[in-house]
């Protein structure tokens, strides 16, 4: 059970401070409101008020949802560890989702604010980790104002001040980035095959270990894509908006093409768009999105292709749609879904 922090000098949070908090964590917040919100975490005199506000929010939410034990556990986990987890799951209520998002942002800000304001130089970067389990999507707002969506089955490790003073992310899986502009402090995304460097832009990186391709899709701004230092697979490439770079792990080559970027970033809105997608790739995508295991009884059907859009459908609704579109059927045995040819 978290203990509320109080001191004789602690005053009630001013209405102005509450307004900044409310506006900053609103889904409709603009960039100025987000920056005002995050700046609170770098003011040590506000730390007690912010912690108390977090506890009040959590307690009010648990009373409303009758799930107090869960939120107590989440508070202790987030507050006590630099490695945190925040996931947006279909079964979670809107209040729970908003509180957990805000809790992660608050604690990151307090930890990093303390680190940045301490005045002590640390020779080793401090990293923070976020995970999106299968069947969920995570959303993060970093202390520099950068906005990240983390797709199902993905992990990022983030440092506010990397080895060379840069902002850096180590990504396994898929993430969409809206990077805050800081020309003097580049933002670098490391994948297993190459690095993506920006100063401020919007882009998507897909880098699952099990996939044969690593894909970067640029929506706005510009990015530099460079092969990892140890690999040297290709020369540095600079992308412009609307371009996509695909690196094939097996053939060890790259391809740059112009694409409709929304087809590759709509997942963050819980919407999936398929264009001539093989059942093999669709199987992998559905397993990640819904957190299920799918078995294929007849390998020959893996070459079937499918066009479609999935938004709020359940896995059973998707399977029934496939069943009426392709010559296949399915059955559920225990925890597994088996797709077979008819």
């Amino acid at each position: 059970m978290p203990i509320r922090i109080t001191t004789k000098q602690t005053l009630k949070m001013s209405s102005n401070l509450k307004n900044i908090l409310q506006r900053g964590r609103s889904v409709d917040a603009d960039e100025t409101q987000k920056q005002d919100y995050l700046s609170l975490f770098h003011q040590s005199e506000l730390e007690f008020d912010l912690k108390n506000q977090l506890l009040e929010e959590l307690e009010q939410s648990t009373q409303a949802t009758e799930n107090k034990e869960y939120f107590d556990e989440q508070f202790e986990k987030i507050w006590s560890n630099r490695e945190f987890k925040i996931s947006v799951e279909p079964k979670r209520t809107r209040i729970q989702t908003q509180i957990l998002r805000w809790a992660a942002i608050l604690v990151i800000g307090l930890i990093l604010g303390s680190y940045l304001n301490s005045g002590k130089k640390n020779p080793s970067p401090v990293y923070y980790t976020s995970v999106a389990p299968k069947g969920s999507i995570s959303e993060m707002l970093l202390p520099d104002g950068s906005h990240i969506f983390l797709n199902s089955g993905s992990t990022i490790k983030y440092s506010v001040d990397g080895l060379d003073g840069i902002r850096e992310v180590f990504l396994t899986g898929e993430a969409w980035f809206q990077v805050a502009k800081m020309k003097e402090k580049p933002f670098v995304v490391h994948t297993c095959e190459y690095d993506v460097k920006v100063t401020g832009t919007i882009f998507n990186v897909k880098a699952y270990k099990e996939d044969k391709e690593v894909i970067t899709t640029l929506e706005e701004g510009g990015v530099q894509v460079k092969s990892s230092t140890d690999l040297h697979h290709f020369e540095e490439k600079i992308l412009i908006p609307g371009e996509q770079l695909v690196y094939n792990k097996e053939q060890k080559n790259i391809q740059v093409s112009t694409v409709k970027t929304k087809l590759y970033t709509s997942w963050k809105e819980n919407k999936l768009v398929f264009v001539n997608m093989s059942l093999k790739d669709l199987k992998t995508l559905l397993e990640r999105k819904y957190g299920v295991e799918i078995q294929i009884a007849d390998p020959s059907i893996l070459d079937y292709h499918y066009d479609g859009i999935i938004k709020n459908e359940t896995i059973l609704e998707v399977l029934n749609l496939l069943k009426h579109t392709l010559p296949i059927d399915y059955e559920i045995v225990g925890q597994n879904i088996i797709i077979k040819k008819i």
Side-chain angles (χ1 to χ4, degrees), residues 88-327:
V88 181
E89 301 174 2
K91 294 183 180 179
R92 188 165 290 160
T93 67
R94 184 176 181 181
I95 293 177
Q96 290 172 313
T97 297
Q98 183 63 29
I99 291 297
L100 286 179
R101 287 180 181 175
W102 185 77
I105 294 170
L106 172 62
V107 176
I108 298 169
L110 288 172
I111 293 174
L112 295 184
S114 175
Y115 172 71
L116 291 172
N117 293 326
S118 65
K120 297 178 181 180
K121 294 184 178 180
N122 191 333
S124 300
V126 179
Y127 293 97
Y128 309 91
T129 302
S130 183
V131 179
K134 285 188 177 181
S136 68
I137 295 174
S138 294
E139 182 180 7
M140 297 178 61
L141 184 61
L142 301 184
D144 65 353
S146 297
H147 194 184
I148 300 176
F149 279 90
L150 195 59
N151 206 352
S152 173
S154 303
T155 302
I156 63 169
K157 184 172 69 171
Y158 173 79
S159 175
V160 68
D161 211 352
L163 289 175
D164 298 319
I166 62 175
R167 298 171 290 167
E168 61 179 348
V169 167
F170 293 85
L171 170 67
T172 301
E174 183 171 17
W176 176 91
F177 300 87
Q178 183 176 25
V179 177
K181 292 183 180 180
M182 296 177 65
K183 290 184 179 181
E184 74 285 357
K185 202 168 187 179
F187 190 105
V188 178
V189 179
H190 303 284
T191 73
C192 56
E193 301 293 338
Y194 60 69
D195 300 332
V196 183
K197 181 179 179 181
V198 304
T199 54
T201 188
I202 300 175
F203 62 103
N204 192 89
V205 180
K206 185 179 181 182
Y208 288 99
K209 288 183 177 180
E210 61 272 24
D211 288 0
K212 67 179 181 180
E213 296 177 333
V214 181
I215 305 172
T216 296
T217 306
L218 180 62
E219 288 191 84
E220 296 181 12
V223 300
Q224 298 174 337
V225 182
K226 185 177 182 180
S227 182
S228 297
T229 305
D230 298 334
L231 300 177
H232 301 292
H233 288 322
F234 57 88
E235 296 296 325
E236 179 181 303
K237 298 291 182 181
I238 298 178
L239 302 185
I240 61 175
E243 286 190 332
Q244 181 182 81
L245 183 146
V246 178
Y247 173 75
N248 188 294
K249 298 178 186 178
E250 297 175 354
Q251 301 176 6
K252 300 189 183 304
N253 60 21
I254 63 170
Q255 179 179 354
V256 178
S257 59
T258 301
V259 299
K260 294 181 178 179
T261 59
K262 291 299 181 182
L263 297 179
Y264 301 90
T265 62
S266 60
W267 61 264
K268 67 185 176 64
E269 300 161 358
N270 204 30
K271 178 180 178 181
L272 299 177
V273 181
F274 315 126
V275 179
N276 197 33
M277 178 175 285
S278 71
L279 190 60
K280 179 180 179 180
D281 292 335
L282 184 56
K283 167 185 175 294
T284 300
L285 191 149
L286 293 177
E287 287 179 326
R288 288 172 183 161
K289 176 175 174 58
Y290 294 103
V292 298
E293 295 293 332
I294 299 176
Q295 297 179 9
I296 304 297
D298 186 342
S300 66
I301 67 176
L302 290 174
D303 292 329
Y304 290 167
H305 285 69
Y306 177 72
D307 293 343
I309 299 175
I310 296 176
K311 192 169 184 180
N312 296 318
E313 290 81 1
T314 66
I315 182 61
L316 292 181
E317 289 173 332
V318 173
L319 291 171
N320 286 327
L321 182 61
L322 291 174
K323 177 180 175 180
H324 288 91
T325 306
L326 303 173

Side-chain angles (χ1 to χ4, degrees), residues 34-136:
K34 291 178 183 178
Q35 290 298 330
D36 289 343
Y37 176 45
L38 288 170
S39 69
L40 297 176
F41 307 138
H42 300 281
Q43 301 178 47
S44 58
E45 68 274 13
L46 297 178
E47 182 173 340
F48 288 139
D49 285 335
L50 290 170
K51 289 179 180 178
N52 281 328
Q53 180 69 6
L54 171 59
L55 281 171
E56 288 176 6
E57 295 271 356
L58 290 173
E59 289 169 357
Q60 290 173 7
S61 175
T62 55
Q63 290 170 3
T65 61
E66 297 182 354
N67 197 2
K68 189 172 182 62
E69 182 178 350
Y70 172 78
F71 280 100
D72 287 347
E73 179 183 342
Q74 289 299 312
F75 182 91
E76 294 295 345
K77 182 184 295 184
I78 295 173
W79 195 261
S80 301
N81 297 280
R82 288 178 174 177
E83 178 172 326
F84 63 91
K85 182 185 294 184
I86 171 174
S87 59
V88 181
E89 301 174 2
K91 294 183 180 179
R92 188 165 290 160
T93 67
R94 184 176 181 181
I95 293 177
Q96 290 172 313
T97 297
Q98 183 63 29
I99 291 297
L100 286 179
R101 287 180 181 175
W102 185 77
I105 294 170
L106 172 62
V107 176
I108 298 169
L110 288 172
I111 293 174
L112 295 184
S114 175
Y115 172 71
L116 291 172
N117 293 326
S118 65
K120 297 178 181 180
K121 294 184 178 180
N122 191 333
S124 300
V126 179
Y127 293 97
Y128 309 91
T129 302
S130 183
V131 179
K134 285 188 177 181
S136 68

